[in-house]
Coordinates of all heavy atoms in Angstrom, one line a residue:
D685 N -3.5 -54.6 -45.6 CA -2.8 -55.8 -45.1 C -2.0 -55.5 -43.9 O -1.9 -56.3 -43.0 CB -2.0 -56.3 -46.3 CG -1.6 -57.8 -46.1 OD1 -2.5 -58.6 -45.6 OD2 -0.5 -58.2 -46.6
D686 N -1.3 -54.3 -43.9 CA -0.5 -53.9 -42.8 C -1.3 -53.8 -41.5 O -0.9 -54.2 -40.4 CB 0.3 -52.6 -43.0 CG 1.3 -52.8 -44.1 OD1 1.8 -53.9 -44.3 OD2 1.7 -51.8 -44.7
T687 N -2.5 -53.2 -41.6 CA -3.4 -53.0 -40.5 C -3.8 -54.4 -39.9 O -3.8 -54.6 -38.7 CB -4.7 -52.2 -40.9 OG1 -4.2 -51.0 -41.4 CG2 -5.6 -52.0 -39.7
L688 N -4.2 -55.3 -40.8 CA -4.6 -56.6 -40.3 C -3.4 -57.3 -39.6 O -3.6 -57.9 -38.5 CB -5.1 -57.5 -41.5 CG -5.6 -58.9 -41.2 CD1 -6.7 -58.8 -40.2 CD2 -6.0 -59.6 -42.4
Q689 N -2.2 -57.2 -40.2 CA -1.1 -57.9 -39.5 C -0.8 -57.2 -38.2 O -0.4 -57.9 -37.2 CB 0.2 -57.8 -40.4 CG 0.1 -58.6 -41.7 CD -0.1 -60.1 -41.3 OE1 0.5 -60.7 -40.4 NE2 -1.1 -60.8 -42.0
G690 N -1.0 -55.9 -38.1 CA -0.8 -55.2 -36.8 C -1.8 -55.7 -35.8 O -1.4 -55.9 -34.6
L691 N -3.0 -55.9 -36.2 CA -4.0 -56.4 -35.2 C -3.8 -57.8 -34.8 O -3.9 -58.1 -33.6 CB -5.4 -56.3 -35.9 CG -6.0 -54.9 -36.1 CD1 -7.3 -55.0 -36.9 CD2 -6.3 -54.2 -34.8
I692 N -3.3 -58.6 -35.7 CA -3.1 -60.0 -35.4 C -1.9 -60.2 -34.4 O -1.9 -61.0 -33.5 CB -2.8 -60.8 -36.7 CG1 -4.1 -61.0 -37.5 CG2 -2.2 -62.2 -36.3 CD1 -3.9 -61.5 -38.9
H693 N -0.8 -59.4 -34.6 CA 0.4 -59.5 -33.9 C 0.6 -58.5 -32.7 O 1.6 -58.4 -32.2 CB 1.6 -59.4 -34.8 CG 1.6 -60.5 -35.9 ND1 1.7 -61.8 -35.6 CD2 1.4 -60.4 -37.2 CE1 1.7 -62.6 -36.7 NE2 1.5 -61.7 -37.7
Y694 N -0.5 -57.8 -32.3 CA -0.4 -56.9 -31.2 C -0.2 -57.6 -29.9 O -0.8 -58.6 -29.6 CB -1.8 -56.1 -31.1 CG -1.8 -55.1 -30.0 CD1 -1.2 -53.9 -30.2 CD2 -2.4 -55.4 -28.8 CE1 -1.2 -52.9 -29.1 CE2 -2.4 -54.5 -27.7 CZ -1.8 -53.3 -27.9 OH -1.7 -52.4 -26.9
T695 N 0.8 -57.2 -29.2 CA 1.2 -57.9 -28.0 C 1.1 -57.1 -26.7 O 1.5 -57.5 -25.6 CB 2.7 -58.4 -28.1 OG1 3.5 -57.3 -28.3 CG2 2.8 -59.4 -29.2
G696 N 0.4 -56.0 -26.8 CA 0.2 -55.1 -25.6 C -0.9 -55.6 -24.7 O -1.2 -56.8 -24.6
D697 N -1.4 -54.7 -23.9 CA -2.5 -54.9 -22.9 C -3.7 -55.7 -23.6 O -4.1 -55.3 -24.7 CB -3.0 -53.6 -22.3 CG -4.1 -53.8 -21.4 OD1 -4.0 -54.6 -20.5 OD2 -5.1 -53.0 -21.5
N698 N -4.1 -56.7 -23.0 CA -5.2 -57.6 -23.6 C -6.5 -56.8 -23.7 O -7.2 -56.9 -24.7 CB -5.5 -58.8 -22.7 CG -4.4 -59.9 -23.0 OD1 -3.7 -59.9 -24.0 ND2 -4.3 -60.8 -22.1
R699 N -6.8 -55.9 -22.8 CA -8.1 -55.1 -22.9 C -8.0 -54.1 -24.0 O -8.9 -53.9 -24.8 CB -8.3 -54.4 -21.6 CG -8.8 -55.3 -20.5 CD -9.0 -54.6 -19.2 NE -9.3 -55.5 -18.1 CZ -8.7 -55.5 -17.0 NH1 -7.8 -54.7 -16.7 NH2 -9.0 -56.4 -16.1
L700 N -6.8 -53.5 -24.2 CA -6.6 -52.6 -25.3 C -6.7 -53.3 -26.6 O -7.2 -52.8 -27.6 CB -5.3 -51.8 -25.1 CG -5.1 -50.7 -26.1 CD1 -6.2 -49.7 -26.1 CD2 -3.8 -50.0 -25.9
R701 N -6.1 -54.5 -26.7 CA -6.2 -55.3 -27.9 C -7.6 -55.7 -28.2 O -8.1 -55.6 -29.4 CB -5.4 -56.6 -27.7 CG -5.4 -57.5 -28.9 CD -4.5 -58.7 -28.7 NE -4.3 -59.4 -29.9 CZ -5.0 -60.4 -30.4 NH1 -6.1 -60.8 -29.6 NH2 -4.8 -61.0 -31.5
Y702 N -8.4 -56.1 -27.2 CA -9.8 -56.4 -27.4 C -10.6 -55.2 -27.9 O -11.3 -55.3 -28.9 CB -10.4 -56.8 -26.1 CG -11.9 -57.0 -26.1 CD1 -12.5 -58.1 -26.8 CD2 -12.8 -56.0 -25.6 CE1 -13.9 -58.2 -26.8 CE2 -14.1 -56.2 -25.6 CZ -14.7 -57.2 -26.3 OH -16.0 -57.4 -26.4
L703 N -10.4 -54.0 -27.3 CA -11.1 -52.8 -27.8 C -10.6 -52.4 -29.2 O -11.4 -51.9 -30.0 CB -10.8 -51.7 -26.8 CG -11.5 -51.8 -25.5 CD1 -11.2 -50.6 -24.5 CD2 -13.0 -51.9 -25.6
T704 N -9.4 -52.6 -29.5 CA -8.9 -52.2 -30.8 C -9.5 -53.1 -31.9 O -10.0 -52.6 -32.9 CB -7.3 -52.4 -30.9 OG1 -6.8 -51.5 -29.9 CG2 -6.8 -52.0 -32.3
I705 N -9.5 -54.4 -31.6 CA -10.2 -55.3 -32.6 C -11.7 -55.1 -32.7 O -12.2 -55.1 -33.8 CB -9.8 -56.8 -32.2 CG1 -8.3 -57.1 -32.4 CG2 -10.7 -57.8 -33.0 CD1 -7.8 -58.4 -31.9
L706 N -12.3 -54.9 -31.5 CA -13.7 -54.6 -31.5 C -14.0 -53.3 -32.3 O -15.0 -53.3 -33.1 CB -14.3 -54.5 -30.1 CG -15.7 -54.1 -29.9 CD1 -16.6 -55.2 -30.6 CD2 -16.0 -54.0 -28.4
S707 N -13.3 -52.3 -32.1 CA -13.4 -51.1 -32.9 C -13.3 -51.2 -34.4 O -14.0 -50.7 -35.2 CB -12.5 -50.0 -32.4 OG -12.7 -49.7 -31.0
W708 N -12.2 -52.0 -34.7 CA -12.0 -52.2 -36.1 C -13.1 -53.0 -36.8 O -13.6 -52.6 -37.9 CB -10.7 -53.0 -36.3 CG -10.3 -53.3 -37.7 CD1 -10.3 -54.5 -38.3 CD2 -9.9 -52.4 -38.7 NE1 -9.9 -54.4 -39.6 CE2 -9.6 -53.1 -39.9 CE3 -9.6 -51.0 -38.7 CZ2 -9.2 -52.5 -41.0 CZ3 -9.2 -50.4 -39.9 CH2 -9.0 -51.2 -41.0
Q709 N -13.6 -54.1 -36.1 CA -14.7 -54.8 -36.6 C -16.0 -54.0 -36.8 O -16.7 -54.1 -37.8 CB -15.0 -56.0 -35.7 CG -14.0 -57.1 -35.8 CD -14.2 -58.2 -34.7 OE1 -14.8 -58.0 -33.7 NE2 -13.6 -59.4 -35.0
T710 N -16.2 -53.2 -35.7 CA -17.4 -52.3 -35.8 C -17.4 -51.3 -36.9 O -18.4 -51.0 -37.5 CB -17.6 -51.7 -34.4 OG1 -17.6 -52.7 -33.4 CG2 -18.9 -50.9 -34.3
L711 N -16.2 -50.7 -37.0 CA -16.0 -49.7 -38.1 C -16.3 -50.3 -39.5 O -17.0 -49.7 -40.3 CB -14.6 -49.1 -38.0 CG -14.2 -48.2 -39.2 CD1 -14.9 -46.9 -39.1 CD2 -12.7 -48.0 -39.2
I712 N -15.7 -51.5 -39.7 CA -15.8 -52.1 -41.0 C -17.3 -52.5 -41.3 O -17.9 -52.2 -42.3 CB -15.0 -53.4 -41.1 CG1 -13.5 -53.0 -41.0 CG2 -15.3 -54.2 -42.4 CD1 -13.0 -52.1 -42.2
H713 N -18.0 -53.0 -40.2 CA -19.4 -53.4 -40.4 C -20.3 -52.2 -40.6 O -21.1 -52.2 -41.5 CB -19.8 -54.1 -39.1 CG -21.2 -54.6 -39.2 ND1 -22.3 -54.0 -38.6 CD2 -21.8 -55.7 -39.9 CE1 -23.4 -54.6 -38.9 NE2 -23.1 -55.6 -39.7
E714 N -20.1 -51.1 -39.9 CA -20.9 -49.9 -40.0 C -20.7 -49.2 -41.4 O -21.6 -48.8 -42.0 CB -20.7 -48.9 -38.9 CG -21.7 -47.8 -38.9 CD -23.1 -48.2 -38.9 OE1 -23.5 -49.2 -38.3 OE2 -24.0 -47.4 -39.4
L715 N -19.4 -49.2 -41.8 CA -19.2 -48.6 -43.2 C -19.8 -49.5 -44.3 O -20.3 -48.9 -45.3 CB -17.7 -48.5 -43.4 CG -17.0 -47.4 -42.6 CD1 -15.5 -47.4 -42.8 CD2 -17.6 -46.0 -42.8
W716 N -19.8 -50.8 -44.1 CA -20.4 -51.7 -45.1 C -21.9 -51.4 -45.1 O -22.5 -51.4 -46.2 CB -20.1 -53.1 -44.7 CG -20.8 -54.2 -45.5 CD1 -20.6 -54.5 -46.8 CD2 -21.9 -54.9 -45.0 NE1 -21.5 -55.5 -47.1 CE2 -22.3 -55.8 -46.1 CE3 -22.6 -55.0 -43.8 CZ2 -23.4 -56.7 -46.0 CZ3 -23.7 -55.9 -43.7 CH2 -24.0 -56.7 -44.8
R717 N -22.5 -51.3 -43.9 CA -24.0 -51.0 -43.9 C -24.3 -49.7 -44.5 O -25.3 -49.6 -45.2 CB -24.4 -51.0 -42.4 CG -24.5 -52.4 -41.8 CD -25.1 -52.4 -40.4 NE -26.3 -51.6 -40.4 CZ -27.0 -51.2 -39.3 NH1 -26.5 -51.6 -38.1 NH2 -28.1 -50.6 -39.4
E718 N -23.5 -48.7 -44.2 CA -23.7 -47.3 -44.8 C -23.6 -47.4 -46.3 O -24.4 -46.8 -47.0 CB -22.7 -46.3 -44.2 CG -22.9 -44.9 -44.7 CD -24.2 -44.3 -44.4 OE1 -25.0 -44.7 -43.5 OE2 -24.6 -43.3 -45.1
R719 N -22.6 -48.1 -46.8 CA -22.4 -48.3 -48.2 C -23.6 -48.9 -48.9 O -24.1 -48.4 -49.9 CB -21.2 -49.1 -48.5 CG -21.0 -49.5 -50.0 CD -20.2 -50.8 -50.1 NE -20.2 -51.2 -51.5 CZ -21.1 -52.1 -52.0 NH1 -22.1 -52.5 -51.3 NH2 -21.0 -52.4 -53.3
N720 N -24.1 -50.0 -48.3 CA -25.3 -50.6 -48.8 C -26.5 -49.8 -48.8 O -27.3 -49.7 -49.7 CB -25.6 -52.0 -48.1 CG -24.6 -53.0 -48.5 OD1 -23.9 -52.9 -49.5 ND2 -24.6 -54.1 -47.7
N721 N -26.7 -49.0 -47.7 CA -27.9 -48.1 -47.6 C -27.8 -47.0 -48.6 O -28.8 -46.7 -49.2 CB -27.9 -47.5 -46.2 CG -28.5 -48.4 -45.2 OD1 -29.3 -49.3 -45.5 ND2 -28.1 -48.2 -43.9
R722 N -26.6 -46.5 -48.9 CA -26.5 -45.5 -49.9 C -26.7 -46.0 -51.3 O -27.4 -45.4 -52.1 CB -25.1 -44.8 -49.9 CG -24.9 -44.0 -48.6 CD -23.5 -43.4 -48.6 NE -23.4 -42.5 -47.4 CZ -22.6 -41.5 -47.2 NH1 -21.8 -41.2 -48.2 NH2 -22.6 -40.8 -46.1
L723 N -26.2 -47.2 -51.6 CA -26.4 -47.8 -52.9 C -27.8 -48.3 -53.2 O -28.3 -48.1 -54.3 CB -25.4 -49.0 -53.1 CG -23.9 -48.6 -53.4 CD1 -23.1 -49.9 -53.4 CD2 -23.8 -47.8 -54.7
H724 N -28.4 -49.0 -52.2 CA -29.6 -49.7 -52.5 C -30.9 -49.0 -52.0 O -32.0 -49.2 -52.5 CB -29.6 -51.1 -51.8 CG -28.4 -51.9 -52.3 ND1 -28.3 -52.3 -53.6 CD2 -27.3 -52.4 -51.7 CE1 -27.2 -53.0 -53.8 NE2 -26.6 -53.1 -52.6
R725 N -30.7 -48.1 -51.0 CA -31.9 -47.4 -50.5 C -31.8 -45.8 -50.6 O -32.7 -45.1 -50.2 CB -32.0 -47.7 -49.0 CG -32.3 -49.2 -48.8 CD -32.7 -49.4 -47.4 NE -32.9 -50.9 -47.2 CZ -32.1 -51.6 -46.4 NH1 -31.1 -51.1 -45.7 NH2 -32.4 -52.9 -46.3
S726 N -30.7 -45.4 -51.2 CA -30.5 -43.9 -51.3 C -30.7 -43.2 -49.9 O -31.2 -42.1 -49.9 CB -31.4 -43.3 -52.4 OG -31.1 -43.8 -53.6
H727 N -30.3 -43.9 -48.9 CA -30.4 -43.3 -47.5 C -29.0 -43.0 -47.0 O -28.1 -43.8 -47.0 CB -31.0 -44.4 -46.6 CG -31.2 -43.9 -45.2 ND1 -30.2 -44.0 -44.3 CD2 -32.2 -43.3 -44.6 CE1 -30.6 -43.5 -43.1 NE2 -31.8 -43.0 -43.3
F728 N -28.8 -41.7 -46.6 CA -27.5 -41.3 -46.2 C -27.5 -40.8 -44.8 O -28.3 -40.1 -44.4 CB -27.0 -40.1 -47.1 CG -26.9 -40.4 -48.6 CD1 -28.0 -40.4 -49.4 CD2 -25.7 -40.7 -49.1 CE1 -27.9 -40.7 -50.7 CE2 -25.5 -41.0 -50.4 CZ -26.7 -41.0 -51.3
K729 N -26.5 -41.3 -44.0 CA -26.3 -40.8 -42.6 C -25.2 -39.8 -42.6 O -24.3 -39.8 -43.4 CB -25.8 -41.9 -41.7 CG -26.9 -42.8 -41.2 CD -26.3 -43.8 -40.2 CE -27.2 -44.9 -39.8 NZ -26.5 -45.8 -38.8
S730 N -25.3 -38.9 -41.7 CA -24.2 -37.9 -41.6 C -23.0 -38.6 -40.9 O -23.1 -39.7 -40.3 CB -24.6 -36.7 -40.7 OG -24.8 -37.1 -39.3
Q731 N -21.8 -37.9 -41.0 CA -20.6 -38.5 -40.4 C -20.8 -38.6 -38.9 O -20.4 -39.6 -38.3 CB -19.4 -37.6 -40.7 CG -18.1 -38.0 -40.2 CD -17.0 -37.1 -40.6 OE1 -17.2 -36.2 -41.4 NE2 -15.8 -37.3 -40.0
E732 N -21.4 -37.6 -38.3 CA -21.6 -37.7 -36.8 C -22.5 -38.9 -36.5 O -22.3 -39.5 -35.4 CB -22.2 -36.4 -36.3 CG -21.3 -35.2 -36.4 CD -21.2 -34.6 -37.9 OE1 -22.1 -34.9 -38.7 OE2 -20.3 -33.9 -38.1
A733 N -23.5 -39.1 -37.3 CA -24.4 -40.2 -37.0 C -23.7 -41.6 -37.1 O -24.0 -42.5 -36.3 CB -25.6 -40.2 -37.9
I734 N -22.8 -41.7 -38.1 CA -22.1 -42.9 -38.3 C -21.2 -43.1 -37.0 O -21.1 -44.2 -36.5 CB -21.3 -42.9 -39.6 CG1 -22.2 -42.9 -40.8 CG2 -20.3 -44.1 -39.6 CD1 -21.5 -42.6 -42.1
F735 N -20.4 -42.1 -36.6 CA -19.6 -42.2 -35.4 C -20.4 -42.5 -34.2 O -19.9 -43.3 -33.3 CB -18.8 -40.9 -35.2 CG -17.6 -40.8 -36.2 CD1 -17.4 -39.6 -36.8 CD2 -16.8 -41.8 -36.5 CE1 -16.4 -39.4 -37.7 CE2 -15.7 -41.7 -37.4 CZ -15.5 -40.5 -38.0
S736 N -21.6 -42.0 -34.1 CA -22.4 -42.2 -32.9 C -22.9 -43.7 -32.9 O -22.8 -44.3 -31.8 CB -23.6 -41.3 -32.9 OG -24.5 -41.6 -31.9
T737 N -23.2 -44.2 -34.0 CA -23.6 -45.6 -34.1 C -22.5 -46.5 -33.8 O -22.7 -47.5 -33.0 CB -24.1 -45.9 -35.6 OG1 -25.2 -45.1 -35.8 CG2 -24.6 -47.4 -35.7
I738 N -21.3 -46.2 -34.3 CA -20.1 -47.0 -34.0 C -19.8 -47.0 -32.5 O -19.6 -48.1 -31.8 CB -18.9 -46.6 -34.8 CG1 -19.1 -46.9 -36.2 CG2 -17.6 -47.2 -34.2 CD1 -18.1 -46.2 -37.2
S739 N -19.9 -45.9 -31.9 CA -19.6 -45.7 -30.4 C -20.7 -46.5 -29.6 O -20.3 -47.2 -28.7 CB -19.6 -44.3 -30.0 OG -19.3 -44.1 -28.7
S740 N -21.9 -46.3 -30.0 CA -23.0 -47.0 -29.2 C -22.9 -48.6 -29.4 O -23.1 -49.3 -28.4 CB -24.4 -46.6 -29.8 OG -24.6 -45.3 -29.5
T741 N -22.5 -49.0 -30.5 CA -22.3 -50.5 -30.8 C -21.2 -51.0 -29.9 O -21.4 -52.1 -29.3 CB -22.1 -50.8 -32.2 OG1 -23.1 -50.3 -33.0 CG2 -21.9 -52.2 -32.5
I742 N -20.1 -50.3 -29.8 CA -19.0 -50.7 -29.0 C -19.4 -50.7 -27.5 O -19.1 -51.7 -26.8 CB -17.7 -49.8 -29.2 CG1 -17.2 -50.1 -30.7 CG2 -16.6 -50.1 -28.2 CD1 -16.2 -49.1 -31.1
K743 N -20.0 -49.7 -27.0 CA -20.4 -49.6 -25.6 C -21.4 -50.7 -25.3 O -21.4 -51.4 -24.3 CB -21.0 -48.3 -25.3 CG -20.0 -47.2 -25.2 CD -20.6 -45.9 -24.8 CE -21.1 -45.1 -26.0 NZ -21.6 -43.8 -25.6
N744 N -22.4 -51.0 -26.2 CA -23.3 -52.1 -26.0 C -22.6 -53.5 -26.0 O -23.0 -54.3 -25.2 CB -24.4 -52.1 -27.1 CG -25.3 -51.0 -27.0 OD1 -25.5 -50.3 -26.0 ND2 -26.0 -50.7 -28.1
R745 N -21.6 -53.7 -26.8 CA -20.9 -54.9 -26.8 C -20.1 -55.1 -25.5 O -20.1 -56.2 -24.9 CB -19.9 -55.0 -28.0 CG -19.1 -56.3 -28.1 CD -20.0 -57.5 -28.2 NE -19.2 -58.7 -28.2 CZ -19.3 -59.7 -27.3 NH1 -20.3 -59.6 -26.3 NH2 -18.6 -60.7 -27.3
I746 N -19.5 -54.0 -25.0 CA -18.8 -54.1 -23.8 C -19.8 -54.4 -22.6 O -19.5 -55.2 -21.8 CB -18.0 -52.8 -23.5 CG1 -16.9 -52.6 -24.5 CG2 -17.4 -52.8 -22.1 CD1 -16.2 -51.3 -24.5
S747 N -20.9 -53.7 -22.7 CA -21.9 -54.0 -21.6 C -22.5 -55.4 -21.6 O -22.8 -55.9 -20.6 CB -23.1 -53.0 -21.8 OG -22.7 -51.7 -21.6
S748 N -22.5 -56.0 -22.8 CA -23.0 -57.4 -22.9 C -22.1 -58.4 -22.2 O -22.5 -59.5 -21.9 CB -23.2 -57.8 -24.3 OG -22.0 -58.0 -25.0
L749 N -20.8 -58.0 -21.9 CA -19.9 -58.9 -21.2 C -20.2 -58.9 -19.7 O -19.8 -59.8 -19.0 CB -18.5 -58.4 -21.3 CG -17.9 -58.3 -22.7 CD1 -16.5 -57.7 -22.7 CD2 -17.8 -59.7 -23.3
R750 N -21.0 -58.0 -19.2 CA -21.3 -57.8 -17.8 C -21.9 -59.1 -17.2 O -21.6 -59.4 -16.0 CB -22.3 -56.6 -17.5 CG -22.4 -56.3 -16.1 CD -23.0 -54.9 -15.8 NE -22.2 -53.8 -16.4 CZ -21.1 -53.3 -15.9 NH1 -20.6 -53.8 -14.8 NH2 -20.5 -52.3 -16.5
E751 N -22.7 -59.8 -17.9 CA -23.4 -61.0 -17.3 C -22.3 -62.1 -17.0 O -22.4 -62.8 -16.0 CB -24.4 -61.6 -18.3 CG -25.7 -60.8 -18.3 CD -26.7 -61.4 -19.1 OE1 -26.8 -62.7 -19.2 OE2 -27.5 -60.7 -19.8
T752 N -21.4 -62.3 -17.9 CA -20.4 -63.4 -17.7 C -19.1 -62.9 -17.0 O -18.6 -63.8 -16.3 CB -19.9 -63.9 -19.1 OG1 -19.4 -62.8 -19.9 CG2 -21.1 -64.6 -19.8
D753 N -18.8 -61.6 -17.1 CA -17.6 -61.2 -16.4 C -17.7 -59.7 -16.1 O -17.2 -58.8 -16.8 CB -16.3 -61.4 -17.3 CG -15.0 -61.3 -16.5 OD1 -15.0 -60.8 -15.4 OD2 -14.0 -61.7 -17.0
P754 N -18.4 -59.4 -15.0 CA -18.7 -58.0 -14.7 C -17.4 -57.1 -14.4 O -17.4 -56.0 -14.8 CB -19.5 -58.0 -13.4 CG -19.7 -59.4 -13.0 CD -19.0 -60.3 -14.0
M755 N -16.4 -57.7 -13.9 CA -15.2 -56.9 -13.6 C -14.4 -56.6 -14.9 O -14.0 -55.5 -15.1 CB -14.2 -57.7 -12.6 CG -14.8 -57.8 -11.2 SD -13.7 -58.6 -10.1 CE -12.4 -57.3 -9.9
E756 N -14.4 -57.5 -15.8 CA -13.8 -57.3 -17.1 C -14.6 -56.2 -17.9 O -14.0 -55.4 -18.6 CB -13.6 -58.6 -17.9 CG -12.8 -58.5 -19.1 CD -11.4 -58.2 -18.9 OE1 -10.8 -58.4 -17.8 OE2 -10.7 -57.7 -19.8
S757 N -15.9 -56.4 -17.9 CA -16.7 -55.4 -18.6 C -16.5 -54.0 -18.0 O -16.4 -53.0 -18.8 CB -18.2 -55.8 -18.4 OG -19.0 -54.8 -18.9
S758 N -16.4 -53.9 -16.7 CA -16.2 -52.6 -16.1 C -14.9 -52.0 -16.5 O -14.7 -50.8 -16.8 CB -16.3 -52.7 -14.6 OG -16.1 -51.5 -14.0
A759 N -13.8 -52.8 -16.4 CA -12.5 -52.4 -16.8 C -12.4 -52.0 -18.3 O -11.8 -50.9 -18.6 CB -11.5 -53.5 -16.5
C760 N -13.0 -52.7 -19.1 CA -13.0 -52.4 -20.6 C -13.8 -51.1 -20.8 O -13.4 -50.2 -21.6 CB -13.6 -53.5 -21.4 SG -12.5 -54.9 -21.7
M761 N -14.9 -50.9 -20.1 CA -15.7 -49.7 -20.3 C -14.9 -48.5 -19.8 O -14.9 -47.4 -20.4 CB -17.0 -49.8 -19.5 CG -18.0 -48.7 -19.9 SD -18.6 -48.7 -21.6 CE -19.9 -50.0 -21.5
Q762 N -14.2 -48.6 -18.6 CA -13.4 -47.5 -18.1 C -12.3 -47.2 -19.1 O -12.0 -46.0 -19.4 CB -12.8 -47.9 -16.8 CG -13.8 -47.9 -15.7 CD -13.2 -48.4 -14.4 OE1 -12.0 -48.4 -14.2 NE2 -14.1 -48.7 -13.4
L763 N -11.7 -48.2 -19.7 CA -10.6 -48.0 -20.7 C -11.2 -47.3 -21.9 O -10.6 -46.3 -22.4 CB -9.9 -49.3 -21.1 CG -8.8 -49.2 -22.1 CD1 -7.7 -48.3 -21.6 CD2 -8.3 -50.6 -22.4
W764 N -12.3 -47.7 -22.4 CA -13.0 -47.1 -23.5 C -13.2 -45.6 -23.3 O -12.9 -44.8 -24.2 CB -14.3 -47.8 -23.9 CG -15.0 -47.2 -25.0 CD1 -16.2 -46.5 -24.9 CD2 -14.6 -47.2 -26.4 NE1 -16.5 -46.1 -26.2 CE2 -15.6 -46.5 -27.1 CE3 -13.6 -47.8 -27.1 CZ2 -15.5 -46.3 -28.5 CZ3 -13.5 -47.6 -28.5 CH2 -14.5 -46.9 -29.1
F765 N -13.7 -45.3 -22.2 CA -14.0 -43.8 -21.9 C -12.8 -43.0 -21.6 O -12.8 -41.8 -21.7 CB -15.0 -43.7 -20.7 CG -16.4 -44.0 -21.1 CD1 -17.1 -45.1 -20.5 CD2 -17.1 -43.2 -22.1 CE1 -18.4 -45.4 -20.9 CE2 -18.4 -43.5 -22.4 CZ -19.0 -44.6 -21.9
S766 N -11.6 -43.7 -21.3 CA -10.4 -43.0 -21.1 C -9.6 -42.7 -22.4 O -8.7 -41.9 -22.4 CB -9.5 -43.7 -20.1 OG -8.9 -44.9 -20.7
L767 N -10.0 -43.4 -23.5 CA -9.3 -43.2 -24.7 C -9.7 -41.8 -25.3 O -10.8 -41.4 -25.2 CB -9.6 -44.3 -25.7 CG -9.1 -45.7 -25.2 CD1 -9.7 -46.8 -26.2 CD2 -7.6 -45.8 -25.2
P768 N -8.7 -41.2 -26.0 CA -9.0 -39.9 -26.7 C -10.0 -40.0 -27.8 O -10.2 -40.9 -28.5 CB -7.6 -39.4 -27.1 CG -6.7 -40.5 -27.1 CD -7.3 -41.6 -26.2

């Protein structure tokens, strides 16, 4: 609940807010998919593979903004690569 409230009320840089929310959504979705694969298909990914999928999904989503707003897409991608 605290995490959700923090995401809702974040007042910093809009690009960082966008990337934070996108990362949170992607993390939740990928963990849900991994859980279902483990329970229903007995298929297990390594931790590295899960992180790689999350990172690729985020980069693909940022890239998809390029058609409508190339400058914003570029700025978000630069910010994403600058984060630790």
